[in-house]
Structures are given as C-alpha cells and as structure tokens.
Amino acid sequence: MPTSPATTSARAESPVAAPAAATASGFAYAAAPEATDHIRLRDRYPLFIGGGFEPPAAGVHHPTLNPATEEPLAEVAEADAADVDRAVRAARRAFSSWSRLPGARRARYLFRLARLVQERSRELAVVESLDGGKPIREARDVDIPLAAQHLFYHAGWADKLPLAFAGARARPLGVCAQVIPWNFPLLMLAWKVAPALATGNTVVLKPAETTPLTAMLFAEICQQAELPGGVVNILTGGPPAGRALVRHPDIDKVAFTGSTAVGKEIQRTLAGRGTRLTLELGGKAAHVVFDDAPLDQAVEGVVTGIYFNQGHVCCAGSRLLLQESIAEPFLRRLRARVGRLRVGNPLDKNTDVGAINSREQLERIQALVDSGVAQGAQLFQPACELPTRGYWFRPSLFTEVAPAHRIAREEIFGPVLAVMTFRTPAEAVERANNTRYGLSAGVWTTTGQRILWMAQRMRAGVVWANTYNRFDPAAPFGGFRESGFGREGGPQGLAAYVALR
Ligand code: NAD
C-alpha cells in the first residue's frame, strides 16, 4: 500500500467503502456499480487448440485473480512445450486451406468475429475489468469497441490486398506466434489476430498470465463464428509458455508486445533464423505543453495521457514538459484535477483510476517512486483513501525532476507523472528526445506551424497534437529505438504479415 506523504493535501475521499462521497465541488457521487450477474465464467479454462478446448499435457493450471479484491476468478491452463507443439501443428494444418480461401470468405469470418465481439461487449467489458483492474468505463468505451473496430477494419482489407500492395503479389507468411501483455488484453489480441487472419495466416496466440480471460472468451467466439479449426489457437501460461512458442522451429513470424527486455531476448532467439519479427515495446513519452496552449484542455489531455488505465500504457505521456512561463499556473490546475480523480472499485462507473494489475507491478511502481523521492524529486499524491484489499496506487506526480533521475528515464508503467520544464522549442525537442525509447509524444499549442515543427523533430512513432491516447485501426502504431520496430494498424500493419513478390 503506498504510504508516501502528499506534499499538497487534496480532499480525502473513500472511493470504495463509502456509498456516496462529496467532491471538492460539493457534488456527491452515489456508487454506480456495473452488474455482474450476466457473467458466467467457467471454473477452469483449458487450452484452445485446433478449434476445440483441450486440457494441457502436463495438467497444470493456475488461478487468475481479480486485482481489486485478490479473489480468484477462474483457473487457466499452463501450456508447456508439448502443448505449443500441438498448437503449432494445428495452425500449420489449417494454413493450407485458410491461406487459399478467397479474401472475401476470410472477410466474412472476420466480420462475424467483429459482430460477435460487439454482441458480447457487455460481458467482455466486465470480464476485462474484473481480470485486469481497469475501470469499467474504459473497458466499455475504449478496449472492447476498439477491438471490434480492428476486426471490422481488417475484414475490409481481406479482399482488397492487391490495393494495399499495388504492383506486388502479397502472400501470407504461414504460422504466426503472437505474444501479448496484460494492459489491453482483448485489444492487443485484436491488433494481432485481425491483420494475420485478413492476410491469410494462421496464429498461435499467448495472452499474458494475469489477464487470460477475455482471450478464452474470444476462443468461444471463434467457435460461435465457426472459424475453421486451427486458424486461431490460444495458449495460456506464463513466460515459459511464451519462450517455448517463440522458439518453436515451425513458426514463420513472431509478433510480440511487451517489455523491452523480453523483446531483446526474442530478437536474440530469432537471430539468423529468417523468422519475421515485429516488436511493440515500452515507452517514456514526452508530453509537451507550450505557453499558448489552451491550459484547461491541456490539463485534461495530460491527465488522460498518464492516468488512463492506471498508466499501464506503453504510449503513456509519462514525462510532462511544461514551458517555464506557464509551469506554475499549469501545475496548480493539474494538482487540483488529480485531486479530483476517483480511485477505487473498477466496476463502479464513476471510477477514474482502477486497480494496479498485479502485486508485482505494484511493487515495481513503488520501487521507482521511492527512487524518485530518494533522488530529490518532489512527490504529490492526493490524500484519497484506498481500499484495504487489492493492489492500488494513488495517481502521483513528481516536480523538481532532473533528466538523470530514474523516474525521468525508466518506464514506470503506472500512474506516475514526471514534470520538467523548458524555455524554447529547441530545448523542448532536446528534452523530449532524451530517452532510449521512441513510441509516442504529445504537443499542446495553438500554433499550427509549431505542431508540424515539433512533429518533424520528435523521434516518436506517433505524435498527438492537442489530444492524447487516440487510437484508430487505420493509423499505424509502433516505435523507434528501444520501443521496437514494425507497425500495427493501417496498410503498414498488413505489410508485417505478408511477403511481397
Ligand atoms: P512482459 O514482456 O513481461 O510480458 C509480455 C508477454 O510476454 C506476456 O504474455 C509474458 O508472459 C510473455 N513473456 C514474458 N517473458 C517471455 C519470454 N522470455 N519469451 C516469450 N514471452 C515472454 O511485459 P509486461 O510487463 O507483461 O507488459 C508491459 C510491457 O509491455 C511494458 O513495457 C509496455 O510498455 C509494453 N507494451 C507495449 C505496447 C506497444 O504497443 N508498444 C503495448 C502494450 C504494452
């Protein structure tokens, strides 16, 4: 439980225990919990191989916990090398017919998957929130609709590949191994599965060990859609399952989203094998606010940029760069806004900041925040009460941060913002680029020319202007440097799944 003292004390509130809590503005929020009586989880989930649910070879299962309560939700199978081999063989068998299907037939399956995700969206949103700790509002309004959008978007491409790759013949690669993290479980699944299937590949996907449940519901959706067996295979398990999958000799492509350290390990594993690879890794994005920005809107953008999904976002705007002349008024507004964020029960529709995904992640966040305090940065945390069970961290911001501090250099992957200042646009660019990552960045200014000037100079795969954390399946997403390589989304994302002749 975080105990660091707040440098400025905001109103204390009881986000979960109290049925209604007064805010600084005097409004009271009644609890508005999302219903869970429509959720029917199995006690135990097997693996999804060849179109059917199959027990793991070694018979090992692990519980998956609700991070807001630490209660087990269900048990999921732990795949081992024998299971990986079965799944890869199933995907290989399915590839010969799936890759020969006319694009319009593959599109039909993808449309069906997209519509079923929409039909089951309430169930998927609640399970995503229960298993991962994210606020139901975000699961309901962002994760699940965007996952459906990715499936729809790629369904649209499936019969138009000659238009995406004019003058060349695009052939599928074969069997794709896909390994995803826990921050956007169903959305990352859709980012991986949709372009692979649209281009005629088959997949073996491994969700993260702490958030496997929506992937297992997606396995049910594949059955409902009557997707041919083996086109999608889903193996649950931890790092050993992921390692066995990317090392399997009969895979043609690896698509990985996760930490930079694991991405590097996968790159070393695949070196010299000729297996295609895309890596979507970590980030330490700069969010730059100029003195001509609309301050209230920029405060909202900065809050979304770092506290959305508890900061468990690879492209989170975790380094705020404020032009010196507006730093004080901006910080005053920002602290007041952070003090009004509602932390607590993820299933409450009023909640802004939910539970931290796991005890391990909570410990990582706390260790980095402790390092910030020890290195002399000034910590602000609102004095909100936290629930007594589960994994929680107050939305936090650091001022008096030096570029050499760990909190300014390392990805925290939690609700922690490091604030620094700059004087000139050139200095803003220099500070923004002072990172080994290069995934995303944000700029707030009313000067259009300055947006373009900054976007050309900031080394980031995505630059948002006067907004933040906007995603669209038609817009390619991906990084530079230690944020990885390859793009997901748009025609560029399709290119990662084909060989051109
Ligand atoms: P992680 O690398 O520990 O795990 C990611 C996945 O890889 C999990 O499924 C895990 O079981 C598996 N895995 C772990 N070790 C493996 C190994 N040696 N071989 C194969 N698979 C292995 O990362 P995490 O902590 O779960 O996720 C957070 C990280 O993901 C952050 O660094 C974040 O920035 C990054 N991320 C990046 C993007 C992006 O698009 N760039 C999106 C989301 C998350």
Side-chain angles (χ1 to χ4, degrees), residues 178-184 188 191-192 206-210 237-247 256-263 265-266 269 279-284 312-316 357 361 364 411 413 437 439 477-479 483-484 488:
Q178 307 184 318
V179 180
I180 56 173
W182 42 260
N183 54 347
F184 294 94
M188 289 298 106
W191 279 29
K192 296 277 180 285
K206 193 198 84 63
E209 50 275 34
T210 58
R243 213 171 274 128
L245 178 56
V246 301
R247 288 186 179 174
F256 173 77
T257 296
S259 60
T260 296
V262 173
E265 181 187 324
I266 292 175
T269 302
L279 295 175
E280 301 276 6
L281 309 176
K284 191 76 189 173
H312 301 327
V313 183
C314 50
C315 50
N357 184 261
Q361 187 58 24
R364 260 180 246 146
E411 186 185 43
F413 221 58
Y437 295 109
L439 191 56
F477 183 90
S483 292
E488 290 185 313

Side-chain angles (χ1 to χ4, degrees), residues 56-78:
V60 179
H61 294 80
H62 287 303
T64 179
L65 302 184
N66 177 344
T69 61
E70 300 175 59
E71 302 285 341
L73 292 163
E75 287 199 337
V76 289
E78 183 71 35

Side-chain angles (χ1 to χ4, degrees), residues 247-305:
R247 288 186 179 174
H248 194 284
D250 196 29
I251 53 172
D252 302 291
K253 146 109 189 166
V254 173
F256 173 77
T257 296
S259 60
T260 296
V262 173
K264 286 181 181 178
E265 181 187 324
I266 292 175
Q267 211 172 2
R268 282 193 295 272
T269 302
L270 297 184
R273 264 179 42 176
T275 309
R276 289 271 293 271
L277 175 65
T278 42
L279 295 175
E280 301 276 6
L281 309 176
K284 191 76 189 173
H287 207 160
V288 184
V289 182
F290 284 97
D291 58 6
D292 64 344
L295 291 198
D296 289 328
Q297 287 172 38
V299 166
E300 287 307 310
V302 166
V303 166
T304 305

Side-chain angles (χ1 to χ4, degrees), residues 2-3 8 47 73 101 119 131 184 266 302-303 319 334 363 368 391 398 403 429 440 470 472:
T3 52
T8 304
L47 304 169
L73 292 163
L101 271 190
E119 268 175 33
D131 204 19
F184 294 94
I266 292 175
V302 166
V303 166
R319 288 182 300 144
L334 183 60
E363 285 166 1
L368 274 159
Y391 315 128
F398 275 107
V429 169
S440 57
R470 295 273 168 188
D472 188 308

